[in-house]
Every structure is written in C-alpha cells, then in structure tokens.
Amino acid sequence: MKGTSIGEFEELCLLAVGVLYPEAYGLSIKDEIESRTGRSATISTVHSTLIRLQEKGLLQSEMGGATEERGGRTKRLFELTAFGKNVINEARELRNGMWQDIPKVIWEGK
C-alpha cells in the first residue's frame, strides 16, 4: 500500500466505522467486529486503536449528544476521513488483486 500501513485489527475498525456510519462509537464498533469475525475484542483495545487511527489521520471524531440510555453521558462518534477512505480502498484493491492472481489450479487441485 502506498499510504499508511495498517494492521488487520486497524482495518477491521476502519471498516466497522464505515458500516456503522453515522453511529460509529466505541461499543458499537466493538460489537460489529465481534459479530462479523466471531472474535472477542476488549473495549480498551478498540478505543486505543480508534485513537491511533485518528492520530494517523484516518478517522475524525466528535462528541454526540447525551442520551438517557447512557445516563446522560455523551459518546464519541467516529467517521472516516478522506485519507481513511483511500487507505481502506487501497487495502481492498491490494487484497482483491492478490486473490485474482492465484492460479485456478490452486483451487481446482492437481
């Protein structure tokens, strides 16, 4: 990838933010990753990853309104930046290109 190098969990977080737009916040991102991958993730791991992605310029965030269900607390809502969209698009193109280049014989057997 030409842009910023991201790891698998970072990619999953970016994808979850995109899927959950405009309601992507820590717990919803954690739940989305767990339901899609079947893997458990801690909220602290998700939060630290989101902050790191924001520092890399891949995400931006703002505080959402307080809700009664959260006891009047606000939640930090995350959104992909233009750079973040480019990075996950490059990751998709790289993966798709590599998948397409696997010879048919690998899948069909010898």
Side-chain angles (χ1 to χ4, degrees), residues 10-25 28-37 50 59 77-81 84-85 88 92:
E10 289 176 320
E11 185 177 349
L12 289 172
C13 285
L14 290 171
L15 291 169
V17 168
V19 166
L20 295 167
Y21 178 84
E23 289 294 319
Y25 59 95
S28 68
I29 294 165
K30 173 190 173 301
D31 291 345
E32 185 71 19
I33 290 170
E34 288 181 341
S35 70
R36 298 268 187 151
T37 66
L50 294 171
L59 294 176
L77 298 172
F78 290 88
E79 183 178 341
L80 294 166
T81 62
K85 291 174 194 176
I88 59 171
R92 178 182 61 187

Side-chain angles (χ1 to χ4, degrees), residues 25-92:
Y25 59 95
L27 187 59
S28 68
I29 294 165
K30 173 190 173 301
D31 291 345
E32 185 71 19
I33 290 170
E34 288 181 341
S35 70
R36 298 268 187 151
T37 66
R39 299 179 352 194
S40 63
T42 65
I43 193 67
S44 61
T45 300
V46 171
H47 275 145
S48 63
T49 303
L50 294 171
I51 298 306
R52 184 170 59 251
L53 292 169
Q54 190 167 356
E55 289 170 353
K56 288 181 176 183
L58 305 175
L59 294 176
Q60 59 189 18
S61 68
E62 63 181 37
M63 296 308 289
T67 61
E68 207 172 291
E69 66 197 31
R70 291 177 48 85
R73 295 185 329 233
T74 59
K75 56 187 167 190
R76 181 166 297 281
L77 298 172
F78 290 88
E79 183 178 341
L80 294 166
T81 62
F83 183 49
K85 291 174 194 176
N86 287 338
V87 167
I88 59 171
N89 190 50
E90 285 178 8
R92 178 182 61 187

Side-chain angles (χ1 to χ4, degrees), residues 2 5-6 11 23 26 85 98:
K2 292 179 261 176
S5 178
I6 58 172
E11 185 177 349
E23 289 294 319
K85 291 174 194 176
M98 291 182 78

